[in-house]
Amino acid sequence: LRTINLQTMGGNQSKGLQSSQVINGDSVSSVESVNNATMSQQTEQQEAEKATESKCPMHQSDGSYSFDWRQMFKAAQVHGASGSKPLSKEQQEAAKKPKSNEAAGGCPVVHDTNQKKDEGTSGCPVHPQYNVYSQPIDKTNQMPKGVKTQLPTAMQREELSANRVSSTIPKGGGDGSSGETWTYPSPQQFYNALARKGKLGDDTAEEDMESVVALHNNMNEKTWSQVVEWEKQTYGPNKPKLLKFAGRPTDLSPKATLKHYLLGHPLPFDRHDWTVLRDNGVTVRYVIDYYYDETRGDNMETGKLPEMHDRDASPTLLIDVRPALDAPEQLFARAVKMPYKIWSAETTFTPMPLKGTAQMSTQVEESKNVWKMIQDSVKESPVDDSQSLENMVISESEAKDIALNFASTLKSCRSMQKRVDACRTEDECMKASMDLTMCLGPKFCPVQHKSLVKTLGDDDELKIEAALTTLSECVAFQGAKRHIAQEQHPSIFK
């Protein structure tokens, strides 16, 4: 067992790397661990971020949800940077005027110029946030940050596309002159989000990610079209923009609660809260519940991916969009304005009925099971690689393939392994270890190796290091998998 202090390629950071490489016949194992102090700091930071993530006016300090009816009689205000103190009339007028966002450092809210900046911060009053894909957001551009968001995971078997598609949803928070829109995650980013939340199971096929992302994009476009229709019919001429969004799959909205417990409607499988920015600087929160009705057909019955703007695609996915009851204006819009517009045929918008169809009533129990699974998944800790290895069962045919693959690969990498065994200095061991990893990579981890080779041309040291770490983790995992196969089928490895 050798402990190597691996200096990062940038030369300004370092992390501990434990590497044990043993060859006995045709076995190789490699184990790496990241500095515990760094992981502890990241965990504390994430916990602090989660503690300040929800700004829902119905969210109480004890975690429950209730509605303060007094706020129904408060006038809508343009709020300041802290989100709690309404701006004065002069500040509201200034907030409505187009202005550069450069001084705010890209912060996606209107700054109160009288607010004092905290020492050691960028001056942006928005706390760090995660988007609905469980990705940390860069506040300067509201995009996922981190060099690994577009890199494959250590256990990934198929190469996924890193191409991202631009939506038609305008992005709020800038000066409004660029016409910038939100960009959807790539299949690789979507897969990484599932991996980060520990949602990669036997039913999560990598080859299905293209279809999942296509359905996701189509559903968001349909959601935005309904938000725009609400704004048009209940507010008037306006060019709304999406300022921010949050996924809240474990929180039942008041309407969904009423529909389920009083009217026997199935539970939603997801919920989003979207904050819309109007031309005058006022923000309006929209609540979106997503339902599934299996009796309405098959989302992929044609065998084709749904087009992003096809309003008739994915018929089994139902969307219930409405403004949140955060002010009297929204109550009047929901109770009077939109119903009148529908009655007078001034809009083609069709709201979801409070009571489900007879076919949907047969799916109530299934929706309860899905809801329980969602609640349980939040309580459970993500399954790491070590836990997945403990429960791994390898078939005899798979064990044979592993044995043959290791035998042929190790034969071609024998010289690299000898260099690892003979190294004496830290620098020699580090280079020999990396050479052995690069030799084993194309055979054991082709997806991760290809990703590393591709990043070498990007001249991004952090990205190269991340790709190299992922390849090392993959090789280590394959070595551990080979060890388990030998324990379960010892006769094959004699």
Side-chain angles (χ1 to χ4, degrees):
L1 181 67
R2 299 183 179 88
T3 302
I4 303 174
N5 181 29
L6 177 62
Q7 300 293 329
T8 63
M9 296 184 179
N12 297 323
Q13 303 176 17
S14 64
K15 64 182 179 181
L17 173 64
Q18 282 190 331
S19 178
S20 168
Q21 291 164 328
V22 181
I23 182 163
N24 183 10
D26 57 359
S27 66
V28 169
S29 64
S30 176
V31 182
E32 296 182 313
S33 63
V34 181
N35 186 282
N36 291 332
T38 302
M39 294 179 63
S40 175
Q41 293 174 0
Q42 293 175 347
T43 302
E44 292 176 0
Q45 181 182 3
Q46 291 179 1
E47 291 178 354
E49 291 167 359
K50 291 180 180 178
T52 59
E53 181 176 2
S54 178
K55 297 298 181 183
C56 174
M58 299 173 63
H59 193 191
Q60 306 301 309
S61 58
D62 60 357
S64 63
Y65 285 81
S66 63
F67 190 74
D68 183 6
W69 294 101
R70 292 175 297 177
Q71 67 178 308
M72 299 287 294
F73 304 99
K74 296 178 182 179
Q77 297 279 356
V78 179
H79 281 60
S82 63
S84 59
K85 176 184 176 183
L87 302 179
S88 64
K89 290 184 179 181
E90 293 79 8
Q91 291 170 333
Q92 289 186 36
E93 292 300 324
K96 297 174 185 179
K97 297 179 181 180
K99 57 185 179 181
S100 174
N101 203 36
E102 181 179 355
C107 182
V109 300
V110 179
H111 283 261
D112 182 353
T113 55
N114 295 326
Q115 185 177 14
K116 187 177 180 180
K117 294 183 179 180
D118 295 332
E119 292 184 4
T121 67
S122 62
C124 180
V126 178
H127 293 285
Q129 294 182 352
Y130 289 82
N131 64 14
V132 293
Y133 317 113
S134 188
Q135 298 167 327
I137 297 175
D138 184 350
K139 294 181 294 185
T140 61
N141 56 16
Q142 289 294 291
M143 300 294 287
K145 62 182 179 181
V147 294
K148 299 186 71 172
T149 58
Q150 288 280 40
L151 297 178
T153 65
M155 293 190 292
Q156 189 172 320
R157 300 181 302 273
E158 301 289 337
E159 185 177 7
L160 296 177
S161 172
N163 294 330
R164 306 185 63 184
V165 178
S166 296
S167 73
T168 60
I169 305 176
K171 180 184 291 188
D175 58 11
S177 61
S178 62
E180 186 180 8
T181 61
W182 288 89
T183 305
Y184 291 125
S186 66
Q188 182 64 67
Q189 286 180 309
F190 212 101
Y191 184 83
N192 289 348
L194 295 177
R196 185 164 33 251
K197 292 185 289 186
K199 307 303 180 187
L200 292 179
D202 296 334
D203 58 343
T204 308
E206 295 164 8
E207 56 269 21
D208 293 337
M209 284 298 105
E210 291 281 352
S211 301
V212 171
V213 171
L215 285 170
H216 163 270
N217 297 352
N218 175 268
M219 188 168 61
N220 278 328
E221 291 294 325
K222 288 195 290 188
T223 299
W224 180 248
S225 68
Q226 294 191 32
V227 169
V228 171
E229 187 65 16
W230 267 99
E231 288 290 294
K232 175 183 177 182
Q233 299 299 333
T234 63
Y235 178 70
N238 180 32
K239 294 181 180 180
K241 299 176 182 179
L242 180 58
L243 180 63
K244 59 182 179 180
F245 52 91
R248 299 174 58 186
T250 60
D251 298 331
L252 268 184
S253 66
K255 183 178 180 181
T257 303
L258 173 69
K259 291 170 64 174
H260 176 69
Y261 290 103
L262 294 184
L263 303 176
H265 195 285
L267 291 167
F269 68 86
D270 199 5
R271 171 188 170 177
H272 286 184
D273 281 17
W274 290 14
T275 300
V276 173
L277 179 66
R278 289 175 174 169
D279 288 344
N280 62 356
V282 173
T283 58
V284 182
R285 182 170 64 95
Y286 277 81
V287 179
I288 304 105
D289 289 321
Y290 295 97
Y291 296 87
Y292 180 77
D293 183 5
E294 61 184 14
T295 65
R296 294 171 64 90
D298 185 355
N299 289 333
M300 301 298 295
E301 60 183 0
T302 62
K304 297 180 180 179
L305 297 180
E307 296 291 337
M308 190 168 66
H309 304 292
D310 186 357
R311 298 294 180 261
D312 297 325
S314 55
T316 62
L317 302 179
L318 308 179
I319 307 172
D320 189 0
V321 180
R322 70 277 184 191
L325 298 179
D326 293 338
E329 177 188 353
Q330 279 74 59
L331 176 61
F332 187 73
R334 288 175 59 170
V336 179
K337 282 188 176 181
M338 184 58 88
Y340 175 76
K341 295 286 186 176
I342 296 173
W343 176 80
S344 60
E346 295 183 42
T347 178
T348 58
F349 177 81
T350 304
M352 275 194 66
L354 289 175
K355 185 174 179 59
T357 62
Q359 292 84 354
M360 290 191 71
S361 63
T362 63
Q363 305 173 48
V364 173
E365 289 302 319
E366 182 179 357
S367 72
K368 289 182 180 179
N369 294 333
V370 173
W371 177 257
K372 185 178 184 301
M373 290 174 57
I374 294 173
Q375 305 301 311
D376 293 342
S377 66
V378 173
K379 298 176 184 178
E380 296 175 356
S381 300
V383 179
D384 58 23
D385 295 352
S386 61
Q387 290 174 305
S388 62
L389 286 170
E390 291 177 1
N391 304 320
M392 181 177 292
V393 177
I394 299 176
S395 65
E396 183 176 353
S397 60
E398 187 179 3
K400 290 180 180 179
D401 292 338
I402 292 174
L404 292 174
N405 191 20
F406 262 79
S408 61
T409 304
L410 291 175
K411 184 177 181 180
S412 60
C413 298
R414 181 73 64 179
S415 61
M416 282 75 171
Q417 180 62 55
K418 289 182 178 179
R419 288 177 54 196
V420 172
D421 296 336
C423 71
R424 292 293 179 267
T425 66
E426 179 181 302
D427 186 58
E428 287 180 358
C429 292
M430 183 180 67
K431 292 180 179 179
S433 176
M434 291 301 100
D435 288 344
L436 178 61
T437 299
M438 292 297 293
C439 183
L440 298 174
K443 193 70 173 180
F444 291 162
C445 309
V447 174
Q448 292 74 13
H449 183 269
K450 184 177 180 180
S451 174
L452 173 59
V453 173
K454 188 181 298 184
T455 59
L456 292 175
D458 293 342
D459 196 26
D460 187 334
E461 294 177 349
L462 292 177
K463 191 173 182 180
I464 293 173
E465 183 191 0
L468 182 58
T469 300
T470 300
L471 177 60
S472 300
E473 292 172 351
C474 178
V475 172
F477 178 79
Q478 296 302 324
K481 186 176 179 181
R482 189 264 180 203
H483 181 69
I484 294 175
Q486 185 177 19
E487 288 184 337
Q488 297 179 0
H489 305 278
S491 60
I492 296 177
F493 292 84
K494 289 183 178 178

